[in-house]
Amino acid sequence: MLLGSVLTTNVLAQNTLQDITYAPLAGDKVQITLQFAAPVAEPQIFTTQNPARIAIDVPDTHNAVSKRRIDINTGATQSVSAVEAAGRTRVVVDLFHNAGYDTRKEGNNFILTVNNTMSGGAASATAAAVAATDQTKAAVANGMEITNVDFRRGQHGEGRVIVTFSGQGAGVDLQRIGDKIDVNMYNVKLPAQLAQKLDVLDFATPVKSIETRRKGGGVEMEITAGGAFDQLAYQSGDEYIVEISPKKEEAKKDPNAPPVYSGNRVTFNFQDIPTRSVLQLIADVSDLNIVVSDSVAGNVTLRLINVPWDQALDLVLQAKGLDKRRNGNVIWIAPQQEIATREQALAEAKQKLQDVEQTVTVYIPISYGKAQNIADLLTQKSKQSTGAGGGGQAQNNGGFLSVRGRVSYDDRTNTLLVVDTPSKVEEIRKLVAQLDKPVQQVLIESRVVVATDNFARELGAKFGISGGYQTGNTIVSTSGSLAAADQMSNIALANRVAGFGGLPISAPGPTGSGIQVPGIGNRLNVNLPASSPSGSFGLAVLGADYLLDLELSAAQTEGRSELISSPRVITANQQEADIKQGQEIGYVTFTGGTAGGGASTATVQFKEAVLELKVTPTITADNRVYLTLDVKKDAINSLVPNPGGGFVPQLDKREITTSVLVDNGQTVVLGGVYEFDKSTDITKVPFLGDIPGLGALFRDTKKNNSKAELLIFVTPRILNESLK
């Protein structure tokens, strides 16, 4: 006798999104199945035109899907992702282009079918929705104003920005640009006290600041966040709420790890029961449609207690050598060899169909790129242009074309010529539509700052003592040189003779004749003046038989200069740009010639003394800019005489070559050089120059301080298409 029991449990405090699966359908449609733990109420669905998306909001639902993003890349559907915030789950379907959709509910599953094209009904509904949105922006929100802007921190570290309006139905658009979220509110008034910037960094959320300001006839709110984050925005009554939560890191899947099962738990206790009967019981528990091949036979004995139904299904398949293929909510089960044979037959039939399918010829104009480059990409091999018209042709080499496909191009009209089956032609059209887009442009602003600071001070002195002294029969003379001392001795001797009745030599002579003393150049014992004095002070003392000369001179110079150069250039992404400004200096060099008098040859050469910015920007996926830079600022220092004639220019070189990753709009210092030159030169009379105080009369002191600083700044800015 066969005994069996089935136990299922479905007790949840709130609903849970357990899994997201997809299956391609005929006509390039895609069926996306959202599997919940319990039946769901009617979710809120809305679409966006740019970017093309379908968003599904399910309230009071927990997200248990382990994979953050699921790539589909079929028809109009690109990918599907799910995120949870504030007790609700949002499922976002990213599209290659706007497309219609259908929805239905089957048990615990919510099924979304995405068409490849915009159906008539869906297009009309979308147009009506857009028109209604425009009317809401223009009429419903007219006269509405913001009454409050609040910020709160959630239990899991998310930041919640709450904007309260004076009524319902405000027209709001949200757009994320890098680490900033722009919220535009149309035809909404902003009180003066709410036009402010809120610093919310201390709340320990991804949100750093919130700035609200007037813009045109509405209000713009800029939310700045940091790190990896997800945003979720929804409108509830008269409130518009933006939730920004830290992005959950997706766990890396180990290919050798066992599968994760999430089905309702069941208990089976069977002895020698037909395999087809077990599969029928699993179909009843899982609410799935199971199709069993006629070749499935035999019995199975199993005892499973409280295991997920999907794990029980895998165990039965492994025990009997079976395999499964799933298409939406239908599972086909057959022996492994039968499934492999069928799939191989389908592949061969598809290949044979392509071999006999009639080819078509299409002409695809290229707007932003080069037809030759796209043709190279499609065929994965290089081609050469042929003919006067600049056209080229290439055979398929394992690229995007079929075996019978061909592609050529015309340089003159920049057009692709594709010959292939209709299905392949349609795929190539979609691929070209993705590739043929305007390249983003980057504005690079740089500043080269050269700052110099010079200071010099010099103190010098001229000092001399001249005189002739008679002590008994001895005459002692002193002056700045031996010739001057000899002259002073003669004067003293003459004065001595005059003491016997002659006229004193030291007395004034005839008018204009002056006093007989040595010249000032011969009277100086110390001659250490400032080289270029800014001022001087002279003192002379003339006694009966001596002369004292003193001159103090000083000079001080200060200089400060700043040279700021600001080259800027706009270039396309991954395209090198070079801008320079300066002068090209010519000079003559001589070659040849011999000692015997042979003639030499004069050659004119040139050197550049320019300001140059050479840069290649690369925009990263997170809207940052990777720059490869070469910045140069040369200047003429001096002209060095050439032995053969003329001069050769000597340049001051300032250059930096580097690569750096910079945020959009951020200014970074690429590098700098700081030079400090300090010198003190003292020229003095030995021993006398070291005497404290009086030593200043016997020395010349020069002090020089010079500073030079070089700084190079760069700021990249990604030019949005709306600003071009």
Side-chain angles (χ1 to χ4, degrees), residues 248-380:
K248 298 179 181 178
E249 294 186 0
E250 296 183 1
K252 295 183 179 179
K253 275 193 173 183
D254 185 0
N256 300 321
V260 178
Y261 299 102
S262 58
N264 295 332
R265 296 185 175 272
V266 297
T267 296
F268 291 147
N269 188 1
F270 300 113
Q271 292 183 358
D272 199 23
I273 184 175
T275 303
R276 305 175 71 91
S277 300
V278 176
L279 297 176
Q280 181 61 44
L281 291 174
I282 294 177
D284 295 337
V285 173
S286 62
D287 288 335
L288 293 177
N289 300 314
I290 296 181
V291 178
V292 182
S293 174
D294 293 339
S295 56
V296 175
N299 297 343
V300 63
T301 299
L302 68 161
R303 184 176 183 271
L304 302 175
I305 299 176
N306 199 24
V307 297
W309 67 262
D310 44 358
Q311 183 179 7
L313 177 61
D314 286 349
L315 291 174
V316 173
L317 298 180
Q318 293 173 11
K320 302 302 294 182
L322 305 175
D323 203 352
K324 63 181 178 181
R325 292 295 182 266
R326 182 166 181 171
N327 187 354
N329 65 336
V330 178
I331 297 179
W332 176 51
I333 297 177
Q336 295 177 354
Q337 183 61 37
E338 181 180 339
I339 291 180
T341 303
R342 178 180 179 275
E343 290 179 344
Q344 183 178 359
L346 289 175
E348 292 176 354
K350 185 177 181 180
Q351 183 63 42
K352 290 181 180 179
L353 181 61
Q354 289 183 353
D355 293 341
V356 299
E357 189 177 5
Q358 186 178 1
T359 60
V360 296
T361 302
V362 295
Y363 309 98
I364 305 176
I366 306 301
S367 300
Y368 303 102
K370 289 185 177 180
Q372 179 181 359
N373 295 339
I374 297 180
D376 291 342
L377 177 63
L378 292 176
T379 58
Q380 297 294 314

Side-chain angles (χ1 to χ4, degrees), residues 449-455 558-564 652 654 673-677 705-711:
V449 181
V450 181
T452 58
D453 192 355
N454 299 316
F455 174 81
E558 295 182 13
R560 182 174 299 171
S561 67
E562 287 186 0
L563 176 61
I564 301 177
D652 287 335
R654 302 179 183 93
V673 178
Y674 181 78
E675 294 179 297
F676 183 75
D677 185 7
N705 294 335
S706 62
K707 293 185 292 184
E709 189 171 8
L710 170 66
L711 293 174

Side-chain angles (χ1 to χ4, degrees), residues 40 56 65 102 122 184 329 343 417 431 456 466 540 544 568 571 580 690:
V40 296
I56 306 172
V65 179
D102 298 313
N184 291 296
N329 65 336
E343 290 179 344
L417 290 79
L431 178 61
S466 301
R568 63 178 61 187
T571 183
K580 64 174 65 176
D690 296 328

Side-chain angles (χ1 to χ4, degrees), residues 376-388:
D376 291 342
L377 177 63
L378 292 176
T379 58
Q380 297 294 314
K381 66 180 290 188
S382 300
K383 295 167 287 296
Q384 296 180 351
S385 299
T386 59

Side-chain angles (χ1 to χ4, degrees), residues 52 72-78 94-98 434:
I72 298 177
N73 298 323
T74 301
T77 310
Q78 180 181 7
D94 292 317
L95 306 176
F96 290 114
H97 54 79
N98 295 322
Q434 292 295 318

